[in-house]
Amino acid sequence: MRTVPPAESMLKEALKNNPDLDVNSLHHETFLLMIHYRSQYYERRVNEILSELNLSKEIHDKVKRKLLEPIVVGDKEYSNFMEEVSRRVSQAFQPISGHLAELCAQRELERAGLKRDYHFTRRKERTDFIIYYPNLHSPKARHRVEVKNVSLRERATRGLAFDGDSLFGFFDQLSEFTESNVKVLESLCVKTNGYCYIPSDTSRNIPYTTTRFRPNTLFGRDMAEFAKTGRIP
C-alpha cells in the first residue's frame, strides 16, 4: 500500500485547484498536500489496527486521539506516536519533498516556453537542471542549476560550488543567510555568472548587500533569456 501519492500527482492536484499559482504558492500548496496525505495515512493505519481489537467506540476514539497527538522526544517533535516509533514514513517524505521542489522549478521553465530535452535537461551530469543555448542539439553554452528545498545548510553552498552555476530554492529560514553564507554564495555566483533564486520575502529581509540574489519568480524568465541569447539579463 502506497503511503502517499507520487510528487507528480500532488503537483497536478495543486494546479487543478488553481492553475495560475506562482512558484512559491505552488510549493506551499504541495507541501500542505503532502502533510494532508501523511495525516490521512496515519489515521487510516490507526483505524485498521484498532478495528482488530473489538473496542467500544469510546475507547477506540480515546486511543486513536492519543496515538495521533503530537509528541516531543528530546529536542525533536513528531506529528504523532506512530511517526516517532516508525520513521519509515517520515523518511519517505524527504525525497518526495525534494522531488516537488524540482517539479516546481521545471514548471517555471515550461511556463517560460522552454521544453524538456530540447531547451533543458533534468538530472544529468550530477546537476538538477541544465539549460542550453540555443538548444540541447546544437549547444553553444549551457547553464547548470541546483535545486534545494527549504533549508540552505552546507549542502546548498557545496552543491553550487561543484554542481551548479545558479541556485534555485524555497529557503524560508532567514537565520541561515549569515554574512559569511551570503559572501560565499555571492562569490560563487560571480564566478559562474549565475544567481541565487530565492523567495522574495527571504531576499528582501537579508540584512547584507547582495547583487546575486533574485526572486525565484524570475527564474523562468531568466533561463528563457539564456536559452535565447546565451546570457542571463
Side-chain angles (χ1 to χ4, degrees), residues 152-188:
L152 184 64
R153 297 197 184 100
E154 181 190 358
R155 285 201 307 261
T157 53
R158 187 171 66 242
L160 186 62
F162 295 107
D163 302 320
D165 301 313
S166 283
L167 178 66
F168 176 94
F170 298 95
F171 312 116
D172 57 2
Q173 299 177 37
L174 186 63
S175 61
E176 292 189 318
F177 288 89
T178 61
E179 185 174 12
S180 60
N181 274 347
V182 168
K183 286 182 178 179
V184 168
L185 290 169
E186 285 272 328
S187 175
L188 290 169

Short mmCIF file of all heavy atoms in Angstrom, two decimals, residues 152-188:
data_model
loop_
_atom_site.label_atom_id
_atom_site.label_comp_id
_atom_site.label_asym_id
_atom_site.label_seq_id
_atom_site.Cartn_x
_atom_site.Cartn_y
_atom_site.Cartn_z
N LEU A 152 18.89 25.90 3.68
CA LEU A 152 20.13 26.19 2.96
C LEU A 152 21.21 25.19 3.34
O LEU A 152 21.70 24.43 2.52
CB LEU A 152 20.59 27.61 3.27
CG LEU A 152 21.81 28.12 2.52
CD1 LEU A 152 21.53 28.20 1.04
CD2 LEU A 152 22.22 29.49 3.05
N ARG A 153 21.58 25.18 4.59
CA ARG A 153 22.60 24.29 5.14
C ARG A 153 23.87 24.32 4.29
O ARG A 153 24.03 25.07 3.35
CB ARG A 153 22.07 22.85 5.27
CG ARG A 153 20.90 22.72 6.22
CD ARG A 153 20.72 21.25 6.61
NE ARG A 153 19.55 21.09 7.45
CZ ARG A 153 18.39 20.66 6.99
NH1 ARG A 153 18.25 20.35 5.73
NH2 ARG A 153 17.36 20.54 7.80
N GLU A 154 24.80 23.46 4.62
CA GLU A 154 26.06 23.40 3.88
C GLU A 154 25.85 22.82 2.49
O GLU A 154 26.56 23.15 1.55
CB GLU A 154 27.06 22.55 4.66
CG GLU A 154 28.43 22.44 3.97
CD GLU A 154 29.32 21.42 4.63
OE1 GLU A 154 28.89 20.82 5.63
OE2 GLU A 154 30.42 21.21 4.13
N ARG A 155 24.83 21.94 2.34
CA ARG A 155 24.62 21.26 1.07
C ARG A 155 24.43 22.24 -0.07
O ARG A 155 24.85 22.00 -1.19
CB ARG A 155 23.41 20.33 1.16
CG ARG A 155 23.64 19.06 1.93
CD ARG A 155 22.60 18.03 1.53
NE ARG A 155 21.26 18.56 1.65
CZ ARG A 155 20.45 18.34 2.66
NH1 ARG A 155 20.86 17.62 3.68
NH2 ARG A 155 19.23 18.82 2.68
N ALA A 156 23.74 23.35 0.21
CA ALA A 156 23.45 24.29 -0.86
C ALA A 156 24.72 24.92 -1.40
O ALA A 156 24.94 24.98 -2.61
CB ALA A 156 22.49 25.37 -0.36
N THR A 157 25.58 25.41 -0.50
CA THR A 157 26.81 26.04 -0.97
C THR A 157 27.73 25.01 -1.61
O THR A 157 28.41 25.30 -2.59
CB THR A 157 27.54 26.74 0.20
OG1 THR A 157 27.71 25.80 1.27
CG2 THR A 157 26.73 27.92 0.69
N ARG A 158 27.75 23.79 -1.08
CA ARG A 158 28.58 22.75 -1.67
C ARG A 158 28.07 22.38 -3.06
O ARG A 158 28.83 22.22 -4.00
CB ARG A 158 28.61 21.52 -0.76
CG ARG A 158 29.59 20.46 -1.24
CD ARG A 158 29.77 19.35 -0.22
NE ARG A 158 28.55 18.58 -0.04
CZ ARG A 158 27.89 18.48 1.10
NH1 ARG A 158 28.30 19.13 2.17
NH2 ARG A 158 26.79 17.76 1.19
N GLY A 159 26.74 22.25 -3.19
CA GLY A 159 26.16 21.91 -4.49
C GLY A 159 26.41 22.99 -5.51
O GLY A 159 26.72 22.71 -6.67
N LEU A 160 26.28 24.24 -5.10
CA LEU A 160 26.51 25.34 -6.02
C LEU A 160 27.96 25.39 -6.45
O LEU A 160 28.29 25.66 -7.60
CB LEU A 160 26.10 26.66 -5.35
CG LEU A 160 26.13 27.91 -6.22
CD1 LEU A 160 25.15 27.78 -7.37
CD2 LEU A 160 25.81 29.14 -5.40
N ALA A 161 28.86 25.10 -5.53
CA ALA A 161 30.29 25.18 -5.84
C ALA A 161 30.71 24.11 -6.84
O ALA A 161 31.53 24.37 -7.70
CB ALA A 161 31.10 25.04 -4.56
N PHE A 162 30.13 22.91 -6.75
CA PHE A 162 30.62 21.81 -7.56
C PHE A 162 29.68 21.39 -8.69
O PHE A 162 30.12 20.85 -9.68
CB PHE A 162 30.90 20.60 -6.67
CG PHE A 162 32.01 20.85 -5.69
CD1 PHE A 162 31.73 21.01 -4.35
CD2 PHE A 162 33.32 20.94 -6.11
CE1 PHE A 162 32.75 21.24 -3.43
CE2 PHE A 162 34.34 21.17 -5.21
CZ PHE A 162 34.06 21.33 -3.87
N ASP A 163 28.39 21.61 -8.54
CA ASP A 163 27.45 21.05 -9.49
C ASP A 163 26.52 22.06 -10.14
O ASP A 163 25.65 21.68 -10.91
CB ASP A 163 26.59 19.97 -8.81
CG ASP A 163 27.43 18.85 -8.22
OD1 ASP A 163 28.41 18.47 -8.88
OD2 ASP A 163 27.13 18.40 -7.12
N GLY A 164 26.65 23.33 -9.84
CA GLY A 164 25.71 24.29 -10.40
C GLY A 164 26.32 25.65 -10.66
O GLY A 164 27.34 26.02 -10.07
N ASP A 165 25.69 26.38 -11.57
CA ASP A 165 26.07 27.77 -11.83
C ASP A 165 25.12 28.73 -11.12
O ASP A 165 25.50 29.83 -10.76
CB ASP A 165 26.04 28.05 -13.33
CG ASP A 165 26.98 27.13 -14.09
OD1 ASP A 165 28.14 26.98 -13.66
OD2 ASP A 165 26.56 26.54 -15.11
N SER A 166 23.86 28.30 -10.96
CA SER A 166 22.87 29.06 -10.20
C SER A 166 22.21 28.14 -9.19
O SER A 166 22.25 26.91 -9.31
CB SER A 166 21.80 29.65 -11.13
OG SER A 166 22.27 30.78 -11.82
N LEU A 167 21.58 28.76 -8.20
CA LEU A 167 20.89 28.03 -7.15
C LEU A 167 19.43 28.47 -7.12
O LEU A 167 19.14 29.67 -7.15
CB LEU A 167 21.55 28.33 -5.80
CG LEU A 167 20.92 27.69 -4.55
CD1 LEU A 167 21.09 26.17 -4.60
CD2 LEU A 167 21.58 28.25 -3.30
N PHE A 168 18.52 27.50 -7.10
CA PHE A 168 17.08 27.79 -7.03
C PHE A 168 16.52 27.08 -5.81
O PHE A 168 16.79 25.90 -5.59
CB PHE A 168 16.38 27.28 -8.29
CG PHE A 168 14.88 27.44 -8.27
CD1 PHE A 168 14.28 28.56 -8.84
CD2 PHE A 168 14.07 26.47 -7.70
CE1 PHE A 168 12.90 28.70 -8.82
CE2 PHE A 168 12.70 26.61 -7.67
CZ PHE A 168 12.11 27.73 -8.24
N GLY A 169 15.75 27.80 -4.99
CA GLY A 169 15.21 27.16 -3.80
C GLY A 169 14.07 27.92 -3.17
O GLY A 169 13.68 29.00 -3.63
N PHE A 170 13.55 27.34 -2.09
CA PHE A 170 12.42 27.92 -1.37
C PHE A 170 12.84 28.21 0.08
O PHE A 170 12.11 27.93 1.02
CB PHE A 170 11.24 26.96 -1.40
CG PHE A 170 10.74 26.69 -2.79
CD1 PHE A 170 11.19 25.58 -3.49
CD2 PHE A 170 9.86 27.56 -3.40
CE1 PHE A 170 10.75 25.33 -4.78
CE2 PHE A 170 9.41 27.32 -4.69
CZ PHE A 170 9.86 26.20 -5.38
N PHE A 171 14.03 28.75 0.25
CA PHE A 171 14.61 28.96 1.57
C PHE A 171 13.78 29.96 2.37
O PHE A 171 13.62 31.11 1.98
CB PHE A 171 16.04 29.47 1.43
CG PHE A 171 16.86 28.66 0.46
CD1 PHE A 171 17.35 29.23 -0.70
CD2 PHE A 171 17.12 27.33 0.71
CE1 PHE A 171 18.10 28.48 -1.59
CE2 PHE A 171 17.87 26.57 -0.18
CZ PHE A 171 18.35 27.15 -1.34
N ASP A 172 13.26 29.50 3.51
CA ASP A 172 12.40 30.36 4.32
C ASP A 172 12.97 30.63 5.70
O ASP A 172 12.30 31.19 6.56
CB ASP A 172 11.00 29.74 4.45
CG ASP A 172 11.04 28.34 5.06
OD1 ASP A 172 12.15 27.86 5.40
OD2 ASP A 172 9.96 27.73 5.20
N GLN A 173 14.22 30.23 5.93
CA GLN A 173 14.85 30.45 7.22
C GLN A 173 15.91 31.55 7.08
O GLN A 173 17.05 31.30 6.70
CB GLN A 173 15.48 29.15 7.74
CG GLN A 173 14.45 28.04 7.93
CD GLN A 173 15.08 26.74 8.36
OE1 GLN A 173 16.03 26.74 9.14
NE2 GLN A 173 14.57 25.62 7.86
N LEU A 174 15.50 32.77 7.39
CA LEU A 174 16.38 33.92 7.21
C LEU A 174 17.67 33.78 8.00
O LEU A 174 18.73 34.25 7.57
CB LEU A 174 15.64 35.20 7.62
CG LEU A 174 16.37 36.52 7.37
CD1 LEU A 174 16.62 36.73 5.88
CD2 LEU A 174 15.56 37.68 7.95
N SER A 175 17.61 33.11 9.15
CA SER A 175 18.79 32.97 10.01
C SER A 175 19.92 32.22 9.32
O SER A 175 21.09 32.35 9.71
CB SER A 175 18.41 32.25 11.31
OG SER A 175 17.92 30.94 11.04
N GLU A 176 19.61 31.43 8.30
CA GLU A 176 20.65 30.69 7.58
C GLU A 176 21.48 31.60 6.68
O GLU A 176 22.60 31.25 6.30
CB GLU A 176 20.04 29.58 6.75
CG GLU A 176 19.43 28.46 7.58
CD GLU A 176 19.02 27.28 6.73
OE1 GLU A 176 18.45 27.49 5.65
OE2 GLU A 176 19.28 26.14 7.15
N PHE A 177 20.94 32.77 6.35
CA PHE A 177 21.66 33.69 5.47
C PHE A 177 22.54 34.61 6.31
O PHE A 177 22.31 35.81 6.42
CB PHE A 177 20.68 34.47 4.59
CG PHE A 177 20.05 33.61 3.54
CD1 PHE A 177 18.88 32.93 3.80
CD2 PHE A 177 20.65 33.46 2.30
CE1 PHE A 177 18.30 32.12 2.83
CE2 PHE A 177 20.08 32.65 1.33
CZ PHE A 177 18.90 31.98 1.60
N THR A 178 23.55 33.99 6.91
CA THR A 178 24.53 34.74 7.68
C THR A 178 25.41 35.54 6.73
O THR A 178 25.42 35.31 5.51
CB THR A 178 25.40 33.80 8.50
OG1 THR A 178 26.12 32.93 7.60
CG2 THR A 178 24.55 32.94 9.44
N GLU A 179 26.15 36.47 7.28
CA GLU A 179 27.03 37.28 6.43
C GLU A 179 28.03 36.41 5.69
O GLU A 179 28.29 36.63 4.50
CB GLU A 179 27.76 38.31 7.29
CG GLU A 179 28.60 39.29 6.47
CD GLU A 179 29.21 40.39 7.32
OE1 GLU A 179 29.16 40.27 8.56
OE2 GLU A 179 29.72 41.37 6.74
N SER A 180 28.57 35.39 6.36
CA SER A 180 29.55 34.52 5.70
C SER A 180 28.90 33.70 4.60
O SER A 180 29.48 33.53 3.51
CB SER A 180 30.22 33.61 6.73
OG SER A 180 29.26 32.79 7.38
N ASN A 181 27.68 33.16 4.83
CA ASN A 181 26.99 32.40 3.80
C ASN A 181 26.67 33.26 2.58
O ASN A 181 26.81 32.83 1.43
CB ASN A 181 25.70 31.78 4.35
CG ASN A 181 25.93 30.45 5.02
OD1 ASN A 181 26.99 29.85 4.88
ND2 ASN A 181 24.95 29.98 5.76
N VAL A 182 26.22 34.48 2.84
CA VAL A 182 25.89 35.39 1.74
C VAL A 182 27.14 35.69 0.92
O VAL A 182 27.10 35.69 -0.32
CB VAL A 182 25.27 36.69 2.29
CG1 VAL A 182 25.19 37.75 1.19
CG2 VAL A 182 23.88 36.41 2.85
N LYS A 183 28.27 35.92 1.58
CA LYS A 183 29.51 36.21 0.86
C LYS A 183 29.94 35.02 0.00
O LYS A 183 30.40 35.19 -1.13
CB LYS A 183 30.62 36.57 1.86
CG LYS A 183 30.47 37.96 2.46
CD LYS A 183 31.64 38.27 3.40
CE LYS A 183 31.52 39.68 3.97
NZ LYS A 183 32.64 39.98 4.91
N VAL A 184 29.81 33.81 0.55
CA VAL A 184 30.17 32.61 -0.21
C VAL A 184 29.30 32.48 -1.45
O VAL A 184 29.80 32.25 -2.56
CB VAL A 184 30.04 31.35 0.67
CG1 VAL A 184 30.14 30.08 -0.19
CG2 VAL A 184 31.13 31.32 1.74
N LEU A 185 28.00 32.62 -1.28
CA LEU A 185 27.08 32.49 -2.41
C LEU A 185 27.30 33.58 -3.45
O LEU A 185 27.27 33.33 -4.66
CB LEU A 185 25.63 32.51 -1.91
CG LEU A 185 25.21 31.28 -1.10
CD1 LEU A 185 23.86 31.52 -0.42
CD2 LEU A 185 25.12 30.05 -1.99
N GLU A 186 27.51 34.80 -2.99
CA GLU A 186 27.78 35.91 -3.91
C GLU A 186 29.04 35.61 -4.73
O GLU A 186 29.06 35.77 -5.95
CB GLU A 186 27.95 37.21 -3.13
CG GLU A 186 26.67 37.81 -2.60
CD GLU A 186 26.01 38.75 -3.61
OE1 GLU A 186 26.73 39.40 -4.38
OE2 GLU A 186 24.78 38.80 -3.61
N SER A 187 30.09 35.19 -4.06
CA SER A 187 31.37 34.92 -4.72
C SER A 187 31.23 33.80 -5.75
O SER A 187 31.74 33.89 -6.87
CB SER A 187 32.42 34.56 -3.68
OG SER A 187 33.64 34.19 -4.29
N LEU A 188 30.53 32.73 -5.37
CA LEU A 188 30.36 31.61 -6.29
C LEU A 188 29.56 32.01 -7.52
O LEU A 188 29.89 31.62 -8.65
CB LEU A 188 29.65 30.46 -5.56
CG LEU A 188 30.46 29.72 -4.49
CD1 LEU A 188 29.56 28.80 -3.69
CD2 LEU A 188 31.60 28.94 -5.12
#
